[in-house]
Amino acid sequence: MSHKLTLKALAPVTHDTNHYVFDRPEGIDFEPGQAAALMLDREGWRDEDRPFTFTSQPEDTILEFVIKSYPDHDGVTKRLPDLTEGDHVLMTDPFGAITDHGPGVFIAAGAGVTPFISILRRRSRDDALSGSQLLYSNKTEADIILKEEWERMDGLNPVFTVTDEESSDFSQGRIDRKFLEEHVQDFEGKIFYICGPEGFVDDVRDSLKGLGAEADNIITEEGW
């Protein structure tokens, strides 16, 4: 089923990521971490859908998304920042396998952090972040989405790493087996959430299994 949303506000989050606020039509139900596909309500674009994660809460009266744009690709994300208040997009029904399974280690690369925004915000609101970590990889510090918010969350242990900025004071390099060994304790029985490019998800999952994480405790999108 397709829903028509009206843009209420748009504001920058980073140099290439924006926060979008839409109205919320009736009949839309989702869990923190889930997503929906958005389409531009324009001629020639209504069949071009891309999945984006809700960053609002299920009980909110609006729908929010944090979306990274890729200007090198002439697609939906390149054109979304050109929307103005009152413009429309089309949205599918919600879907997604990444939902809240309890405190754990949230592992993300780039825009892969977006499914964790609503989950961690809700846990922060409910004072239920104890025992949770955020391991977050980006190319540069400027690419880190909501860095200050993660650092302010009481009970969350954020660890940032960058791959293309040698001058950064953060950890250098990708999230690999060595990185996981350095920053995670007790892999057995712990819940791990992974989101990012498909190759990233595969590599991190394999590393976690090799370090003793149980396959049933590794949460990713279906098919990844």
Side-chain angles (χ1 to χ4, degrees):
M1 180 177 178
S2 179
H3 308 270
K4 180 176 282 192
L5 311 182
T6 303
L7 183 68
K8 298 171 68 71
L10 187 161
V13 177
T14 72
H15 64 99
D16 61 0
T17 302
N18 290 293
H19 173 220
Y20 298 81
V21 180
F22 295 95
D23 67 339
R24 180 173 180 167
E26 293 184 1
I28 297 174
D29 297 308
F30 63 93
E31 296 182 52
Q34 289 192 309
L38 298 183
M39 299 81 75
L40 298 170
D41 190 19
R42 297 176 182 174
E43 191 68 32
W45 287 92
R46 294 184 180 92
D47 293 327
E48 296 289 331
D49 62 0
R50 295 293 182 273
F52 302 110
T53 308
F54 298 103
T55 55
S56 47
Q57 295 298 323
E59 65 273 16
D60 290 346
T61 58
I62 55 174
L63 297 176
E64 297 179 79
F65 300 86
V66 171
I67 299 175
K68 184 180 180 74
S69 292
Y70 299 90
D72 293 339
H73 300 87
D74 188 18
V76 174
T77 66
K78 180 179 179 178
R79 294 171 181 268
L80 280 172
D82 296 331
L83 294 176
T84 59
E85 185 177 345
D87 283 346
H88 300 291
V89 299
L90 304 176
M91 188 189 82
T92 66
D93 286 331
F95 59 85
I98 296 180
T99 56
D100 191 348
H101 292 253
V105 181
F106 296 79
I107 307 172
V113 78
T114 56
F116 306 151
I117 294 174
S118 59
I119 295 175
L120 293 173
R121 281 178 173 171
R122 193 177 190 88
R123 287 198 156 271
S124 178
R125 182 198 70 185
D126 296 342
D127 195 23
L129 272 176
S130 179
S132 292
Q133 282 182 283
L134 173 64
L135 309 182
Y136 189 16
S137 174
N138 283 276
K139 291 182 178 179
T140 70
E141 288 188 30
D143 297 316
I144 300 174
I145 296 171
L146 301 179
K147 172 180 172 291
E148 290 78 14
E149 182 172 350
W150 305 131
E151 292 175 330
R152 288 195 305 267
M153 282 190 177
D154 189 24
L156 180 67
N157 176 21
V159 180
F160 305 116
T161 183
V162 295
T163 59
D164 295 349
E165 187 178 6
E166 294 183 0
S167 61
S168 173
D169 292 332
F170 290 136
S171 297
Q172 301 284 326
R174 301 181 182 279
I175 297 178
D176 54 14
R177 182 181 177 121
K178 180 181 178 182
F179 183 94
L180 293 168
E181 286 181 303
E182 291 176 353
H183 295 284
V184 179
Q185 298 178 348
D186 302 325
F187 289 85
E188 292 186 15
K190 189 167 287 186
I191 297 174
F192 294 89
Y193 303 80
I194 316 171
C195 192
E198 190 167 357
F200 171 84
V201 173
D202 290 340
D203 290 345
V204 172
R205 181 197 291 113
D206 289 345
S207 294
L208 289 172
K209 288 180 179 178
L211 291 166
E214 301 166 19
D216 289 344
N217 285 345
I218 300 175
I219 311 301
T220 67
E221 281 299 349
E222 291 182 1
W224 285 47

